[in-house]
Amino acid sequence: MDGKGNPLGGGCIPAVLEHLHRAYRRPVDIGELAGLVHHSPNYLRSLFKQHTGRTVLEYVHGLRIEEAKRLLREGKHTVTEIGRIVGFRDLHYFSKKFKRSVGLSPKRFGECRPS
């Protein structure tokens, strides 16, 4: 533990989060993230889960879903375009993750935006 009661190595999590917020549209590479903060992939996975309560992929999916919601509210893109814009390569997978997270399909969510 460090002097603040945080586990050693936990100071790298803000750098990882900052990177993920900038690069969430790209495929997630745990090796790249681990190299960024000079830890092994397994150690980073453990630290990340401990500090955020989610896996790296769960966190990235959350970022992607939030951006997809914003884009759907704008109504300027199709669901397929939005899925690709936010980093999902497979439309079915995007729809499945979106519905699991939001409770509505992306199409229904987009239709519910205020006029």
Side-chain angles (χ1 to χ4, degrees):
M1 295 288 215
D2 66 14
K4 298 177 183 173
N6 295 319
L8 292 175
C12 71
I13 298 303
V16 171
L17 292 173
E18 181 180 328
H19 178 79
L20 291 175
H21 280 263
R22 283 193 322 265
Y24 67 87
R25 291 178 168 105
R26 295 190 351 235
V28 176
D29 182 337
I30 192 69
E32 176 187 336
L33 290 173
L36 180 73
V37 294
H38 311 291
H39 288 304
S40 74
N42 285 338
Y43 185 60
L44 178 59
R45 280 185 191 99
S46 176
L47 279 176
F48 194 90
K49 176 86 175 191
Q50 187 175 9
H51 285 268
T52 67
R54 296 190 276 178
T55 66
V56 172
L57 194 54
E58 289 169 343
Y59 190 88
V60 169
H61 282 164
L63 294 174
R64 290 175 177 171
I65 296 300
E66 287 305 310
E67 179 65 2
K69 286 166 49 178
R70 187 186 71 73
L71 292 170
L72 285 162
R73 282 187 210 105
E74 285 181 356
K76 296 178 182 176
H77 302 281
T78 67
V79 170
T80 301
E81 290 170 338
I82 290 171
R84 288 194 181 115
I85 289 168
V86 300
F88 286 98
R89 293 182 176 173
D90 179 301
L91 178 61
H92 178 72
Y93 188 64
F94 166 58
S95 293
K96 179 180 167 182
K97 287 293 185 182
F98 190 95
K99 187 169 185 176
R100 184 176 293 157
S101 176
V102 179
L104 294 171
S105 70
K107 183 177 180 180
R108 291 284 286 154
F109 184 89
E111 292 169 349
C112 293
R113 71 179 182 276
S115 305

